[in-house]
Amino acid sequence: MKFLKFRYENKINFGILEENGVVKKINGNPFYGYSVTNIVFLPNEIELLPPCSPSKIIAIGLNYIDHAKELKMSIPDEPIIFLKPPSSLLGPEGQIIYPEMSNQVDYETELAIVMKDEVKNISEEESLNCILGFTCANDVTARDLQKKDGQWTRAKSFDTFSPIGPYIVTDINPDNLKIELFLNGEIKQSSSTSNMIFNVRRLIGFISNIMTLYPEDIIMTGTPPGVGPVKKGDTVEVKIEGIGSLRNYVN
Ligand code: MG
């Protein structure tokens, strides 16, 4: 199932993407319960929004060995977590605003977990029962400010620095998905989620032993090697096997 959130004539709805490409409106939402209607939209009639409204976005640093090496950082023995504010969310096809404070803004393609249940202290074994599914994310980062500040809040938190979408895909095995990033159509990152140091179950278990996770919360699971800078006018596209393609423009 592919859930999405969209705007049509100033109203915000959830929907399901059907096999034939049309969007079927649902009443309610996929987190707390819904019913499917017979109201159908074509993709070009609607504006896609970030597919959920998280209370927090938890992100993982250095979760692919080769990415840690390219940043000349040591390989962690436990997941390194940080937060991005919900105010940094951006939907599919939205504009990433290049901040005046930075001279190096990088893309980072990432698999994002979308929570469904409120959970605390969940085991790794139970973790996948508590999620709605997965979506694509771009953990946009002001790399110069990340290095300068020594901690990552400013570098990761500018408005529009957390594009997610286009859909939340349920019933997909996250362990071996091709994950890519295209900059102006040219491939820049290409890996598999099988190369994560800490897999999806480990991450959910670990984080839920620190903080309560709520429905719609997002966990960005880290980026593979090949991160690099964008400039104004660029098109960046995160592509994950079985989930879809998340395209944004730098402005
Ligand atoms: Mg990242």
Side-chain angles (χ1 to χ4, degrees):
M1 194 98 83
K2 291 182 172 177
F3 290 108
L4 49 83
K5 198 175 185 181
F6 64 95
R7 185 182 287 125
Y8 178 77
E9 291 184 342
N10 285 326
K11 288 209 175 75
I12 293 173
N13 302 289
F14 281 94
I16 293 169
L17 183 68
E18 303 274 272
E19 293 280 336
N20 61 6
V22 303
V23 173
K24 207 169 232 186
K25 179 181 178 300
I26 62 175
N27 287 329
N29 69 64
F31 300 95
Y32 297 99
Y34 66 92
S35 58
V36 181
T37 73
N38 287 320
I39 304 168
V40 166
F41 300 91
L42 295 172
N44 61 7
E45 294 176 320
I46 59 176
E47 178 196 352
L48 288 183
L49 302 172
C52 59
S53 300
S55 77
K56 55 189 170 296
I57 302 162
I58 306 113
I60 313 299
L62 310 175
N63 198 26
Y64 288 77
I65 291 174
D66 289 349
H67 175 57
K69 284 182 182 163
E70 76 180 344
L71 293 181
K72 298 186 174 63
M73 290 178 168
S74 53
I75 293 159
D77 58 2
E78 287 187 305
I80 294 173
I81 69 170
F82 60 95
L83 291 167
K84 289 169 77 92
S87 49
S88 65
L89 279 175
L90 180 67
E93 302 289 322
Q95 309 253 339
I96 298 166
I97 305 300
Y98 203 114
E100 281 185 17
M101 261 182 219
S102 173
N103 290 307
Q104 190 190 345
V105 173
D106 283 6
Y107 52 77
E108 293 189 358
T109 188
E110 305 204 5
L111 174 72
I113 305 163
V114 183
M115 297 305 299
K116 183 172 192 297
D117 297 338
E118 179 176 328
V119 290
K120 173 77 178 163
N121 297 331
I122 195 83
S123 68
E124 290 181 33
E125 293 69 33
E126 290 171 290
S127 62
L128 291 186
N129 299 329
C130 307
I131 70 169
L132 180 63
F134 299 91
T135 191
C136 303
N138 191 343
D139 174 20
V140 180
T141 302
R143 192 72 66 203
D144 52 348
L145 303 181
Q146 183 184 28
K147 288 174 184 159
K148 183 180 181 190
D149 289 355
Q151 54 81 33
W152 302 356
T153 305
R154 177 166 63 146
K156 299 281 191 179
S157 297
F158 287 95
D159 287 0
T160 73
F161 269 27
S162 298
I164 61 168
Y167 325 114
I168 301 166
V169 179
T170 63
D171 307 317
I172 189 171
N173 180 342
D175 290 336
N176 186 17
L177 301 174
K178 192 180 210 185
I179 177 166
E180 297 169 307
L181 185 129
F182 295 84
L183 180 65
N184 303 320
E186 191 183 324
I187 192 157
K188 293 289 184 182
Q189 293 184 278
S190 179
S191 188
S192 163
T193 57
S194 64
N195 294 323
M196 285 184 189
I197 300 169
F198 307 107
N199 69 21
V200 162
R201 286 173 288 279
R202 175 82 198 279
L203 294 175
I204 298 167
F206 181 81
I207 293 165
S208 78
N209 275 273
I210 301 162
M211 62 186 87
T212 303
L213 292 165
Y214 295 106
E216 309 195 46
D217 279 357
I218 291 277
I219 301 172
M220 293 188 183
T221 57
T223 199
V227 299
V230 297
K231 58 183 189 317
K232 289 184 185 181
D234 282 349
T235 301
V236 278
E237 185 178 4
V238 169
K239 207 169 175 182
I240 302 178
E241 181 184 2
I243 298 180
S245 167
L246 168 67
R247 191 169 51 211
N248 294 97
Y249 310 97
V250 183
N251 195 347

